[in-house]
Structures are given as C-alpha cells and as structure tokens.
C-alpha cells in the first residue's frame, strides 16, 4: 500500500470528508484484502472494513505521525479482523462462503481463466482456514501485503522473533498439509 | 551447518531477513544438500507462491456510501456524548479523555459545594439539629420512666442507680 500524503492526513484530521475519501480510495483495497484473508469470510471482511474506516475517522485526530499511517491502519485492521475471526470461530459458523469471482468480477473473463482463478482462490481459502487468526495475520502481512518482519512486528506489536516463529510454524503446517494432499495441489 | 539449523532459518532466508554472512552460509549449504534444497523449493512453490500471486480484492462498491452515511448520521446518543466529550476537550486539552473527564467532575463538585454551601454549616441548621436530638433523648428518658414505673424494670443495680 502506498503511503498517504501528509497533507491529506492533516486535512482529514481537520474533518475534511473529501480528504478522508481519498484515504479510503487509496487504502480500502488493502484493508479489505487483509480483512478478507484474516477472517476468511466475505461478509465478516466487509463488516471489518467498515468498522476499520469508522475507527480511523473517529481517531484520526489522535494520529500523531509517530508511526507510518500504513502501520497504523494495518494495526487497526488486523486487530479488528482477528477479533471478528475469533468471534466467528466461537460461533462455529461457516455457512457463509465467499465467492469473489461472482461478487467482484467486472467485465468479460475467459472461462478457462476464470476456472483457474477460482481454483487458486479456493486453495488460498483452504490454506488459511487451517491456521489460527494470529498465524494467518502474520502470513498475510508477509506474503500478501509484502511487509518486512520489522513492519509486521510494529503492526502487530509483537517481538520480531515471534514474527519469525509464527511464520515458520504457519508455513511448515501448510507445507505438511499440501504434501499430504489435504489441500489440493494444482499449481 | 546442520540441516536442523537450516530448517529453523529457511523461512527467514527465503524472506531475505538474514544478515549477509548467515545468508551466504545457507546458500552454500543448499547447493550441497538435496534434502534442504527440496524443502526450500517446496516452501516457495506450495506455500509462498500461491499467497504472493493472490490478487488484491476490492471491497463492494457501496461500502464507501455505507461508511459515509454512518459518519454523517451518528445516533442521537452518540452525537450528544461526542458533543460533551468535544466540549470537555476544548476546555481541558488533555491527551487522555479520562483525565479531562475527572477534572470536569472535580470542578463541578467544587462549584456545587461553593454554590449551595457545605451541609450543616449554618447556625440555624446546627441549632435545629441539637433541638431534635434533645427531644429524642428526652423521649427515651420518658419511655424508660414509663417502663420502670409500671414494673417493667429488671431490678438490676444499674437500673436502680439510673432511675
């Protein structure tokens, strides 16, 4: 995610709704993707994203540029998404599936390409489903959002060695499952 | 370097999160150890690649309008509470709202006390209280006399002394 210009943030801090909309347009894709991957549920991800932007709007005056805005919004998103995932886990409800190809595909897409995309999407969903929300958030921040260990450590407010161990365990567990064929190998 | 150590560091190696010397040691080991090389390739191909290749997802188009509506139309209670908090923050520009709230409560209590005065501080109130207390003690004395006069006494020495 690209950093938001300081001028835009300052205007948003003064209550400028257009500046806040700019922030939304720049960061909503990243926030939604992170929320979707951590919750692994489209409906939860939408609620989390909405909640995140309302929290950002309410608290942006308190943002003092001590960390980057990217770290700040990722932290809010991860915490909100982990809580949503834990709540869902407690309810043990998995009836709502997401299908982004139906919901968010715009325009013509060749059939074969669509099938491959669906399969890849299903693999990612199955992989993430086997992890707990904390491991998931580490893995998503690293492999999907592309953050460094140091950035993940600051975002999640955890020790860098915890980042290392969570990533190691998550990847080892996923590799074992993929080798056993529990998660389909099509790539 | 032992394979076990490589297994512990392989993820940091793949992510480019190791210092140069250690990174070079691992690279040399991977060139000579087919088992560790296979592990590296499997991690890259089966775990990391699918995640890295996943596309960015866009939220539903109406999400911004939902957020904007929620911002522009807060509930009446939220609005009222927000206005109070905003007012407090203007008067007491403290970073912690709890401190600002505590300061407000303290000042309000002091203002009330100064406005209505501390209870029992006036001479009239004190005189009234003393009269009421004297009346009460007198009624007790009456009751004690009645009981002892009608044979309700227990005949103890202290009773005889007092009555």
């Amino acid at each position: 995610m690209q950093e938001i210009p300081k001028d835009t943030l300052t205007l948003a801090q003064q209550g400028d709704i257009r500046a806040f909309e700019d922030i939304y347009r720049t960061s909503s894709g990243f926030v939604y993707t992170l929320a979707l991957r951590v919750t692994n549920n489209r409906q939860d991800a939408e609620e989390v994203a909405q909640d995140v932007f309302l929290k950002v709007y309410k608290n942006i005056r308190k943002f003092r540029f001590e960390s980057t805005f990217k770290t700040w919004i990722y932290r809010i998103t991860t915490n909100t998404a982990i809580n949503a995932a834990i709540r869902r886990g407690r309810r043990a409800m998995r009836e709502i599936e997401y299908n982004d190809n139906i919901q968010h595909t715009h325009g013509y897409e060749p059939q074969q390409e669509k099938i491959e995309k669906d399969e890849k999407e299903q693999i990612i969903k199955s992989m993430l489903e086997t992890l707990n929300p904390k491991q998931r958030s580490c893995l998503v921040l690293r492999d999907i959002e592309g953050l460094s260990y140091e950035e993940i450590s600051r975002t999640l407010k955890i020790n860098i060695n915890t980042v290392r161990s969570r990533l190691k365990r998550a990847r080892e567990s996923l590799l074992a499952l993929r080798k056993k064929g529990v998660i389909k190998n099509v790539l | 370097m032992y394979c076990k150590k490589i297994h512990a560091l392989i993820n940091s190696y793949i992510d480019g999160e190791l210092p140069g010397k250690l990174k070079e040691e691992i690279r040399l080991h991977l060139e000579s150890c087919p088992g560790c090389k296979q592990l590296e390739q499997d991690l890259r191909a089966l775990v990391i690649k699918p995640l890295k290749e996943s596309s960015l997802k866009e939220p539903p188009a109406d999400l911004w309008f939902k957020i904007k509506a929620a911002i522009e139309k807060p509930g009446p209670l939220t609005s009222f509470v927000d206005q109070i908090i905003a007012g407090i923050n203007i008067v007491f520009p403290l970073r912690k709202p709890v401190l600002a709230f505590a300061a407000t409560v303290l000042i309000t209590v002091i203002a009330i006390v100064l406005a209505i005065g501390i209870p029992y501080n006036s001479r009239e109130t004190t005189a009234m209280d003393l009269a009421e207390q004297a009346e009460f003690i007198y009624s007790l004395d009456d009751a004690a006399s009645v009981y002892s006069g009608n044979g309700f006494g227990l005949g103890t020495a202290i009773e005889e002394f007092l009555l």
Side-chain angles (χ1 to χ4, degrees):
Chain A
M1 186 183 113
Q2 67 183 77
E3 274 299 338
I4 311 281
K6 198 174 175 181
D7 293 351
T8 309
L9 292 172
T10 310
L11 282 172
Q13 284 180 322
Q14 291 161 1
D16 186 331
I17 193 78
R18 283 187 186 173
F20 186 68
E21 188 174 354
D22 284 348
I23 293 172
Y24 173 83
R25 300 282 171 218
T26 310
S27 54
S28 61
F30 295 90
V31 167
Y32 180 74
T33 304
L34 180 55
L36 178 66
R37 295 312 184 192
V38 174
T39 59
N40 226 11
N41 179 288
R42 195 177 57 80
Q43 193 188 11
D44 282 353
E46 193 180 326
E47 283 171 16
V48 166
Q50 182 170 345
D51 202 11
V52 166
F53 283 103
L54 289 175
K55 283 178 184 171
V56 169
Y57 182 79
K58 216 171 177 180
N59 294 295
I60 197 159
R61 268 167 281 188
K62 293 178 192 164
F63 179 68
R64 293 178 189 278
F65 300 93
E66 284 160 2
S67 64
T68 64
F69 182 76
K70 185 172 106 173
T71 304
W72 190 61
I73 198 167
Y74 274 158
R75 185 183 302 147
I76 296 172
T77 309
T78 316
N79 289 339
T80 312
I82 287 174
N83 288 338
I86 291 170
R87 276 200 304 274
R88 176 162 288 275
R90 281 189 194 140
R91 290 200 304 267
M93 284 168 65
R94 288 185 181 163
E95 80 286 1
I96 305 157
E97 297 292 322
Y98 70 85
N99 186 342
D100 288 276
N101 294 309
I102 293 168
Q103 296 284 330
H104 303 300
T105 298
H106 304 290
Y108 172 76
E109 193 171 12
Q111 192 59 28
Q112 185 58 32
E113 204 175 299
K114 189 181 175 302
I115 291 167
E116 280 175 18
K117 208 173 163 186
D118 283 356
E119 282 183 344
K120 284 181 180 178
E121 191 56 41
Q122 194 51 48
I123 287 171
I124 291 166
K125 190 176 184 308
S126 309
M127 283 168 72
L128 294 173
E129 217 164 49
T130 63
L131 304 174
N132 67 48
K134 287 180 178 176
Q135 286 178 326
R136 231 182 276 162
S137 58
C138 253
L139 200 68
V140 170
L141 286 172
R142 173 64 212 162
D143 289 338
I144 297 179
E145 305 280 350
L147 268 62
S148 69
Y149 286 12
E150 182 62 42
E151 286 173 317
I152 298 171
S153 154
R154 282 202 303 269
T155 301
L156 301 179
K157 285 192 173 175
I158 54 174
N159 188 285
I160 198 162
N161 289 325
T162 311
V163 176
R164 285 181 203 279
S165 66
R166 278 188 194 170
L167 280 173
K168 180 178 177 290
R169 284 183 189 177
R171 284 176 179 165
E172 279 174 356
S173 146
L174 290 176
L175 184 60
L177 290 171
R178 294 213 66 182
K179 279 187 167 175
K180 278 182 197 167
V182 177
I183 301 166
K184 197 180 166 192
N185 285 318
V186 292
L187 296 169
Chain B
M1 192 179 272
Y2 295 109
C3 295
K4 200 176 171 184
K5 194 176 172 186
I6 296 291
H7 288 202
L9 296 171
I10 192 82
N11 283 287
S12 300
Y13 172 78
I14 291 169
D15 289 330
E17 294 276 351
L18 288 179
K21 197 181 169 188
L22 195 54
K23 191 176 171 182
E24 185 57 17
E25 266 183 65
I26 292 176
R27 193 187 65 77
L28 289 171
H29 179 89
L30 292 177
E31 277 180 5
S32 61
C33 178
C36 290
K37 185 73 191 165
Q38 187 62 50
L39 174 67
E40 185 216 354
Q41 286 173 345
D42 287 346
L43 277 170
R44 284 186 193 274
L46 299 176
V47 179
I48 298 167
K49 190 178 166 221
L51 293 170
K52 275 198 192 301
E53 285 182 349
S54 70
S55 55
L56 190 75
K57 305 289 173 192
E58 286 302 324
D62 63 344
L63 185 62
W64 166 246
F65 298 105
K66 286 182 186 172
I67 293 167
K68 202 177 170 196
I71 288 169
E72 287 171 348
K73 287 183 183 173
L77 183 64
T78 314
S79 167
F80 180 67
V81 170
D82 284 349
Q83 279 174 14
I84 290 175
I85 290 169
I88 290 171
N89 283 334
I90 289 166
V91 180
F92 304 105
L94 298 173
R95 284 188 67 173
K96 296 202 177 222
V98 174
L99 289 178
F101 183 71
T104 310
V105 169
L106 187 66
I107 287 176
T108 310
V109 168
I110 291 168
I112 290 169
V113 166
L114 289 175
I116 65 170
I118 300 166
Y120 306 109
N121 65 343
S122 68
R123 292 180 67 184
E124 290 82 0
T125 314
T126 313
M128 261 172 63
D129 283 347
L130 282 173
E132 279 175 3
Q133 284 174 31
E135 198 179 327
F136 176 67
I137 292 165
Y138 183 72
S139 70
L140 287 177
D141 186 46
D142 267 1
S145 304
V146 166
Y147 288 131
S148 60
N150 291 325
F152 284 99
L154 297 171
T156 58
I158 188 75
E159 204 176 69
E160 279 172 20
F161 174 77
L162 289 171
L163 302 174

